[in-house]
């Protein structure tokens, strides 16, 4: 218990992190981040075509990601291009999210009844 109290995060940081992670709860926003990781920058129309979603869905997703500081813009005439923010945590896409996706696939294959190891791990 003492280790959890010492090394845990505070309520304010937990709330901020939960808010950012909730942005990833939408498939369109996750796909936008992955697309921008792959090609550096795209406009709303190109993102919509690439992902097969409406420009309205792309615009709304980008607005939320931009407000959270995950995406930046560049204007070229009348066209606005979007890219991952300079400070975007690269390992988030490359490692963490891909690993979580893999774990999710494994969990759905194994079914919801398999929870072995959780209790012993929590007691360490």
């Amino acid at each position: 218990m003492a280790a959890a109290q010492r090394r845990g995060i505070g309520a304010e940081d937990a709330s901020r992190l939960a808010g950012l992670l909730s942005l990833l709860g939408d498939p369109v926003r996750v796909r936008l981040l992955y697309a921008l990781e792959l090609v550096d920058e795209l406009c709303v129309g190109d993102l919509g075509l690439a992902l097969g979603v409406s420009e309205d869905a792309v615009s709304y997703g980008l607005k939320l990601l931009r407000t959270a500081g995950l995406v930046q813009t560049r204007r070229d005439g009348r066209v606005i291009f979007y890219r991952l923010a300079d400070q975007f945590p690269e390992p988030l896409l490359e490692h963490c999210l891909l690993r979580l996706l893999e774990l999710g696939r494994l969990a759905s294959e194994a079914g919801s009844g398999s929870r072995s190891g959780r209790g012993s791990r929590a007691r360490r």
Side-chain angles (χ1 to χ4, degrees):
M1 180 184 80
Q5 285 178 327
R6 265 193 326 275
R7 298 186 341 209
I9 62 174
E12 187 175 320
D13 284 341
S15 179
R16 187 175 298 114
L17 181 58
L20 286 171
L21 290 174
S22 72
L23 287 173
L24 302 177
D26 177 73
V28 171
R29 291 190 294 263
V30 171
R31 293 179 69 209
L32 287 169
L33 292 175
Y34 272 103
L36 293 174
E37 168 68 17
L38 294 172
V39 295
D40 293 330
E41 70 176 19
L42 289 169
C43 66
V44 170
D46 289 343
L47 280 163
L49 287 172
L51 302 180
V53 297
S54 72
E55 287 187 20
D56 287 341
V58 170
S59 292
Y60 181 70
L62 289 170
K63 176 185 174 188
L64 295 175
L65 293 170
R66 189 169 150 235
T67 300
L70 300 178
V71 170
Q72 294 176 236
T73 61
R74 177 182 68 84
R75 181 179 289 272
D76 185 4
R78 293 178 19 170
V79 179
I80 298 174
F81 291 91
Y82 291 83
R83 68 182 184 279
L84 294 181
D86 293 337
Q87 69 278 11
F88 191 89
E90 295 286 332
L92 181 67
L93 288 176
E94 288 182 27
H95 179 71
C96 297
L97 294 181
L98 289 175
R99 180 70 177 130
L100 288 172
L101 184 57
E102 181 182 325
L103 288 172
R105 286 183 186 139
L106 291 173
S108 56
E109 289 172 7
S112 61
S114 174
R115 298 186 81 143
S116 63
R118 186 175 173 116
S120 62
R121 187 175 181 180
R123 291 187 190 108
R124 286 185 198 170

